[in-house]
Amino acid sequence: MTDPSKHGAMHDLGASARGTPSSSPRRHLLLAGAGLLAVRPALHAATWPERAVTIFVPSAPGGAADFTARSFAAFASRVVTGSSFLADNRAGAGGILGTVAAKNAAPDGHAFLLSTNSTHAANLSLYAKPGYDPQKDFEPVGLFGRFGTVLMVRANSPHDTLPKLLEAAKRAPGKLSFGYYSSSSQVPAELLKARAQIDAVGVSYKNITQIITDLIGGQLDFAFLDMLSASPALQNNSLRAIGVSSPSREPTLPNVPPVSDVLPGYAVQGWIGLHAPAGTPRHAIDRMAQLTQQAVADEGFKKSLESRGMMVEGMTPERLKAFVAEDIKRWAEWVKVAGIQPQ
């Protein structure tokens, strides 16, 4: 005799295995839709970039950030066949104008920011309202390298060593002058004043070129210039390097002692990297991160930056995120010690 309960169970199992006419097509559609969703990111990644990629440069043409951005844009344009990578200079307000422009750009994977220690660390301490949050409004992509600044005087200056410069400043408080071209570039000199307990007058300039001109002409007594921008000036026989702000000697200036030899603990370093506006698709960030890693490993790209004084170094997005968080704290301390009030 047949057990009705078992028969029913078998019947249900059979129906489940066969599927009903109404549920089977729906199930296939759902599976197909899920497959399309899974494939879509891969399709976007394969077709990226779909148009020219813009790298916002928050400084004027000719400086360290501009040179790095254009060198990378040229490298990426060669590697990604049929694509264009372009540098767009948006100078002003210590890098704020260019950074805000990148923040407000469409986060579709075709806009990036040539980020620096100014845009993503120093400006938080130097400006009361920079207009952006470097950690919330941007996604880290990669690092190109770090650099120090070089303390320069004119070649015929009587202050041809750091001890002589400090002694002259102590003999005549407020008489010596130095030039700076951004709030962050003011920090090395102000930190020198604080550590050495000297008084010197800072003069604000719009660009580094005019500082070099006035330094040679004797209108300024000294200036800290970032290593990359100072490269042409270092070839000028009218100027002399008497110190570097890095904690150790720079490879391109092996005979120039670090300021820390005279003032232990003194150190200021900058960096240049790449960030994307928040919301940028992951596939675009990952591809650009890969391109930055390829660039810093490329012998030609690496030499071009090293020849200008950069210590080339790559970082993953994750490491760069942690590095920026650490640098925000460093610059907050340097600005505090230097006694600079936020603008």
Side-chain angles (χ1 to χ4, degrees), residues 78-308:
R78 290 195 304 270
V79 173
V80 186
T81 307
S83 299
S84 297
F85 292 76
L86 308 171
D88 185 353
N89 296 86
R90 301 290 185 94
I96 290 177
L97 293 184
T99 304
V100 171
K103 168 195 167 184
N104 294 334
D108 59 5
H110 296 83
F112 292 84
L113 172 71
L114 200 288
S115 51
T116 69
N117 52 282
S118 292
T119 66
H120 275 60
N123 282 353
L124 287 184
S125 296
L126 295 169
Y127 294 90
K129 296 180 179 180
Y132 64 92
D133 185 320
Q135 294 174 299
K136 293 180 180 179
D137 293 330
F138 291 92
E139 293 286 346
V141 177
L143 188 76
F144 293 114
R146 310 188 207 196
F147 58 89
T149 59
V150 54
L151 174 56
M152 304 194 75
V153 298
R154 64 183 184 277
N156 60 355
S157 170
H159 326 306
D160 56 0
T161 66
L162 178 56
K164 288 182 181 179
L165 179 68
L166 298 181
E167 182 58 34
K170 289 178 180 179
R171 285 198 311 267
K175 296 297 183 182
L176 269 61
S177 62
F178 65 90
Y180 62 92
Y181 50 97
S182 67
S183 296
S184 59
S185 75
Q186 182 183 0
V187 170
E190 295 291 352
L191 193 60
L192 179 75
K193 288 170 55 179
R195 298 287 192 194
Q197 298 184 333
I198 61 172
D199 184 19
V201 179
V203 182
S204 177
Y205 285 78
K206 290 185 177 181
N207 58 66
I208 195 171
T209 304
Q210 191 58 48
I211 290 179
I212 293 172
T213 300
D214 285 359
L215 197 57
I216 294 173
Q219 284 79 29
L220 294 172
D221 295 291
F222 67 95
F224 278 92
L225 310 178
D226 71 76
M227 288 293 296
L228 275 72
S229 298
S231 181
L234 292 169
Q235 311 304 319
N236 192 318
N237 293 331
S238 299
L239 294 173
R240 180 193 303 272
I242 62 172
V244 293
S245 68
S246 302
S248 58
R249 292 180 184 248
E250 294 281 352
T252 54
L253 296 173
N255 298 321
V256 180
V259 173
S260 59
D261 281 3
V262 177
L263 300 172
Y266 179 99
V268 180
Q269 276 190 305
W271 55 268
I272 294 178
L274 200 68
H275 277 75
T280 297
R282 191 72 240 174
H283 69 265
I285 292 176
D286 289 343
R287 184 67 180 106
M288 280 294 270
Q290 183 184 46
L291 285 171
T292 63
Q293 293 284 351
Q294 287 179 259
V296 298
D298 180 79
E299 200 61 32
F301 180 88
K302 185 178 179 182
K303 283 184 177 179
S304 69
L305 266 59
E306 287 179 339
S307 67
R308 288 176 169 252

Side-chain angles (χ1 to χ4, degrees), residues 286-340:
D286 289 343
R287 184 67 180 106
M288 280 294 270
Q290 183 184 46
L291 285 171
T292 63
Q293 293 284 351
Q294 287 179 259
V296 298
D298 180 79
E299 200 61 32
F301 180 88
K302 185 178 179 182
K303 283 184 177 179
S304 69
L305 266 59
E306 287 179 339
S307 67
R308 288 176 169 252
M310 183 181 282
M311 292 175 281
V312 177
E313 175 187 2
M315 281 187 187
T316 63
E318 295 73 23
R319 176 67 188 103
L320 181 58
K321 182 177 182 178
F323 174 75
V324 168
E326 296 161 3
D327 207 43
I328 289 172
K329 294 178 181 178
R330 279 191 289 268
W331 278 91
E333 177 62 22
W334 291 338
V335 171
K336 180 180 178 181
V337 171
I340 301 175

